[in-house]
Amino acid sequence: MNVFRILGDLSHLLAILILLAKMWRSKSCAGISGKSQVLFALVFSTRYLDLFFVFISLYNLVMKVIYLLCSYITIYMIYGKLRKTYDRENDTFRLEFLLIPVIGLSFLENYDFIPTELLWTFSIYLEAVAILPQLFMISNTGEAETITTHYLFFLGLYRALYLANWIWRYHTEKFYDQIAIISGVVQTIFYCDFFYLYITKVLKGKKLSLP
Amino acid sequence: QEPSKTHDEL
């Protein structure tokens, strides 16, 4: 465990909590893509099946349970408690365009052709693209609430910190995981355009709106 | 070294 990894995990947790706090306090999930949140729940559910098979550490176990719980609470908020505020008309990304290639790729490129490993691989590939419905929704409406942009910033920062973690681990432990690394790079690239807007607009006190 | 199959990251 290195400093990049722990900061990455905390940044991920902070992103999830920011989103929940936003919905809780405003009693609204406007501007949030329910589809992206369903994909993230699917990512956690397929990746953390190992909770039933292996014990890695108490830290690992607790964090996995927290991520899973938070992601299901988020879905309950969007499609249950706050469904009247859900902006369905602008959440129009076609999930099959992501799911079909991701399922195909996980069958083609994996470490082992066994169910748990295929599900892990699927979750890694899916996570790389799971934010696209949210980014698509922002480009549909042309704007995002500032709190939503903080959520996206910490979610992107998490993956960027994981890249630093992998470089660190390669140099110190000779550890590498090419599936995670390549997907992580792709995932981080999706945030670059957003990072630029976040730094040039949101941090200067302006609302994020697209030209 | 082969990539680890116990995935210890989150």
Side-chain angles (χ1 to χ4, degrees):
Chain A
M1 183 76 85
N2 58 66
V3 66
F4 302 112
R5 164 76 199 280
I6 188 96
L7 286 176
D9 288 347
L10 291 176
S11 169
H12 195 181
L13 184 62
L14 184 61
I16 294 170
L17 294 179
I18 285 174
L19 192 67
L20 276 176
K22 171 208 143 61
M23 292 191 290
W24 190 262
R25 294 177 67 171
S26 66
K27 299 275 173 278
S28 162
C29 60
I32 305 297
S33 164
K35 290 185 175 180
S36 273
Q37 296 308 316
V38 167
L39 293 182
F40 282 125
L42 196 57
V43 164
F44 292 138
S45 308
T46 50
R47 188 176 308 166
Y48 298 162
L49 279 178
D50 65 356
L51 278 171
F52 297 105
F53 309 113
V54 282
F55 177 79
I56 293 165
S57 66
L58 186 64
Y59 170 82
N60 194 283
L61 183 136
V62 170
M63 291 298 269
K64 282 175 175 169
V65 172
I66 294 176
Y67 286 170
L68 275 168
L69 277 178
C70 288
S71 105
Y72 280 101
I73 295 171
T74 305
I75 291 193
Y76 164 69
M77 299 283 264
I78 297 173
Y79 291 100
K81 197 172 162 60
L82 303 175
R83 67 182 174 278
K84 291 197 180 80
T85 61
Y86 171 44
D87 188 4
R88 204 173 299 268
E89 288 72 33
N90 284 309
D91 195 12
T92 50
F93 199 96
R94 301 271 299 271
L95 289 188
E96 58 271 33
F97 292 160
L98 295 180
L99 286 171
I100 293 168
V102 163
I103 291 169
L105 194 59
S106 44
F107 276 95
L108 285 173
E109 280 300 322
N110 53 62
Y111 296 138
D112 203 352
F113 208 82
I114 55 171
T116 48
E117 196 56 32
L118 288 173
L119 286 170
W120 177 84
T121 314
F122 166 79
S123 83
I124 293 286
Y125 294 146
L126 184 62
E127 188 187 350
V129 295
I131 201 60
L132 291 180
Q134 178 67 61
L135 296 176
F136 186 71
M137 190 173 183
I138 292 175
S139 71
N140 263 347
T141 58
E143 58 176 27
E145 277 181 62
T146 301
I147 187 85
T148 309
T149 66
H150 296 326
Y151 162 72
L152 282 168
F153 174 76
F154 284 105
L155 207 57
L157 182 64
Y158 139 66
R159 229 33 184 174
L161 285 163
Y162 255 67
L163 296 185
N165 157 57
W166 290 322
I167 294 169
W168 182 268
R169 288 190 76 173
Y170 182 72
H171 285 287
T172 55
E173 307 165 36
K174 288 277 168 275
F175 167 91
Y176 69 94
D177 179 336
Q178 65 269 41
I179 287 181
I181 292 172
I182 293 169
S183 312
V185 169
V186 170
Q187 189 173 346
T188 311
I189 291 171
F190 285 136
Y191 287 88
C192 286
D193 185 38
F194 167 79
F195 280 149
Y196 175 77
L197 289 172
Y198 186 81
I199 291 164
T200 55
K201 288 199 171 177
V202 180
L203 291 185
K204 290 184 180 148
K206 285 183 252 176
K207 195 178 159 85
L208 189 137
S209 55
L210 301 175
Chain B
Q1 188 191 326
E2 284 285 298
S4 160
K5 275 195 197 135
T6 46
H7 306 293
D8 64 345
E9 292 177 343
L10 292 166

